[in-house]
Amino acid sequence: MLNTIASRLGTLVIGIVLARVLGPSDFGVFAIATVTMLAVLSFNELGVSLAIVRWPDDPARIAPTVNTISVSTSALLTVLLVICAPSISAALGDVRATPVVQVMALAILINGLVATPAAMLQREFMQKQRAIADQTNAWLGAIVSLALALAGMGPMSLAIGRLAGSIVSAAMLWWWSPAPYRFGWDRVVAKRLVAFGMPLAAASIVVFASGYADQIIVGSQLGAEALGFYVLAFSLASWPVSIFSQPLRAVAPAAFAKLQQDREAMVRNFLRVLRMLTIVAIPACLAISGAATPIIAFLYGPQWLPAADVLVFLAALAALKVWFELIYDYLVVLSRSRSVLVIQLIWFVTAVPAMLAGVALMGAPGAALGQLAAVGVVVLPCYLIVLRRVGVRTFAFIGAVALPTAAGLVLWCGCWLISRIVSPPPLAAVSAGVLAILVIAALASWRRADVRLVRRAMKGGGP
């Protein structure tokens, strides 16, 4: 948690400076490269690295085969992306993104090279080492990007900074890996890995498509500048997801995997984690949504105000994504990756028409509203159905999230009123933040027993 908060605070500060230096158009060019890279990263190692985390035996047996698969596929995809960069950039709205895409393609190869060491650290709960590597990645990348942007390199500064941070971070992950890094090939292991990983890779592709189709649609339909506004809003809306969900995802799969033989304990702890996550993340997301205009004006300046109309809907969508990511990890541990794939396909099929219609009617904000509607009406019920099949009753799920969600909706109304009646924007943004903190504190007080449990866990104590 501390690792993620520090990283996000650093990237927020640097991001504010970069957004003011570059402007929406150049920021949109970098966004094209980012979306392209994330698309390939969603499946570059075919999902096999997660097998390291949940492998019941010594993972050193499968590590060489995992390395061979992840590095070979990542290298092939890197070459293909470099070749196809001009066509991809043109399709997403701006050919100026071509060299930026080609530079950032190298991050795919780096990701494949460190897939196994990163999974080993996750399996062994080596969060201290992972935190150091992540902090180095974030801060080094941000500093390099800022220096190059101030020197006039435009969107390429962001790509070079991202790559520099990734290279140094990768070296640290290799150094700290609990298992020696080597290549090998075991046909029996490879068959099991592919059987396990391919559904996850397919699901990850669809997860990306459903999660980033809005950016692809906005870029292709409205151009790089509109995409710049949209991506800025997306980044800000992702703050609660990154701060609260990502640290949990670093340990939850391994923790759930250790309880695979006790389904009742798995369900009980899933609901406990869900409740605590909802108490903190949902009010934070809805506060950002309600106070979108003063937050954008305060942090990024008036030239970025069109992003506020997008942020209203994306921050609300982030609240649902916090739940979905936890459910995703839980179902993967239970080997329900095919169910995850089906849900993501449903997400994609229902959201894309809604987003296209939204863009036609409202521009960039319509893409966010269309996806929010599709996710709330269709995707959430699908996840609840699958959870019920693995022992998590729908009423238990609703009971865990009902009060925090209701408090979050009331908070949204309060923040919206603050954004309308309080000025200047810095005062309105701070007032909304204080109100959100008070609501979260009240909810945490309501679940004092769970808070004490978290504290004991952080100190190494048992439940």
Side-chain angles (χ1 to χ4, degrees), residues 134-173:
D134 289 345
Q135 289 297 309
T136 302
N137 189 352
W139 285 99
L140 177 62
I143 292 170
V144 171
S145 295
L146 180 58
L148 295 177
L150 293 173
M153 290 192 65
M156 183 61 77
S157 62
L158 294 166
I160 295 175
R162 177 73 63 87
L163 189 61
S166 298
I167 292 172
V168 176
S169 175
M172 300 173 79
L173 292 175

Side-chain angles (χ1 to χ4, degrees), residues 44 62 199 454:
N44 67 301
I62 66 171
V454 170

Side-chain angles (χ1 to χ4, degrees), residues 360-430:
L361 293 173
M362 300 172 56
L369 176 59
Q371 184 169 199
L372 176 61
V375 166
V377 174
V378 178
V379 179
L380 178 58
C382 289
Y383 269 122
L384 293 178
I385 291 171
V386 176
L387 281 175
R388 187 175 60 197
R389 292 175 179 173
V390 297
V392 181
R393 293 180 294 110
T394 302
F395 284 119
F397 185 99
I398 294 173
V401 305
L403 182 59
T405 302
L409 292 172
V410 173
L411 174 63
W412 185 94
C413 295
C415 291
W416 184 85
L417 287 174
I418 287 173
S419 69
R420 294 297 183 275
I421 63 177
V422 176
S423 60
L427 180 59
V430 171

Side-chain angles (χ1 to χ4, degrees), residues 92-273:
L92 290 179
D94 199 324
V95 293
R96 292 182 300 158
T98 298
V100 184
V101 172
Q102 292 171 331
V103 170
M104 291 188 66
L106 297 175
I108 297 166
L109 177 59
I110 296 171
N111 180 268
L113 287 167
V114 300
T116 296
M120 290 294 295
L121 265 64
Q122 181 178 353
R123 177 187 175 98
E124 300 301 328
F125 298 97
M126 297 173 64
Q127 295 306 309
K128 177 181 178 181
Q129 291 82 354
R130 185 62 186 266
I132 296 172
D134 289 345
Q135 289 297 309
T136 302
N137 189 352
W139 285 99
L140 177 62
I143 292 170
V144 171
S145 295
L146 180 58
L148 295 177
L150 293 173
M153 290 192 65
M156 183 61 77
S157 62
L158 294 166
I160 295 175
R162 177 73 63 87
L163 189 61
S166 298
I167 292 172
V168 176
S169 175
M172 300 173 79
L173 292 175
W174 280 327
W175 177 261
W176 281 316
S177 176
Y181 193 93
R182 55 192 177 87
F183 293 96
W185 186 259
D186 185 319
R187 187 168 62 181
V188 176
V189 169
K191 185 176 180 180
R192 291 180 63 184
L193 288 173
V194 172
F196 171 80
M198 286 303 291
L200 288 179
S204 295
I205 295 172
V206 182
V207 166
F208 170 82
S210 56
Y212 286 85
D214 51 353
Q215 297 185 30
I216 296 172
I217 289 172
V218 169
S220 60
Q221 298 293 314
L222 304 177
E225 183 168 333
L227 180 60
F229 289 124
Y230 197 95
V231 169
L232 185 85
F234 181 87
S235 177
L236 199 54
S238 299
W239 250 74
V241 180
S242 300
I243 290 177
F244 305 121
S245 183
Q246 286 184 4
L248 187 66
R249 298 190 79 186
V251 296
F256 287 140
K258 292 181 182 299
L259 297 173
Q260 289 181 82
Q261 306 306 318
D262 188 346
R263 288 296 180 88
E264 290 186 5
M266 282 191 73
V267 171
R268 183 171 61 253
N269 283 283
F270 170 79
L271 292 172
R272 181 179 291 157
V273 172

Side-chain angles (χ1 to χ4, degrees), residues 46-47 50 54 192-207 327-345 383 386 390:
L46 302 183
L50 189 56
R54 70 179 301 273
R192 291 180 63 184
L193 288 173
V194 172
F196 171 80
M198 286 303 291
L200 288 179
S204 295
I205 295 172
V206 182
V207 166
I327 298 171
Y328 178 96
D329 290 335
Y330 187 74
L331 294 176
V332 166
V333 170
L334 293 174
S335 299
R336 294 280 181 157
S337 52
R338 287 180 176 82
S339 297
V340 172
L341 175 58
V342 171
I343 292 175
Q344 296 303 321
L345 285 169
Y383 269 122
V386 176
V390 297

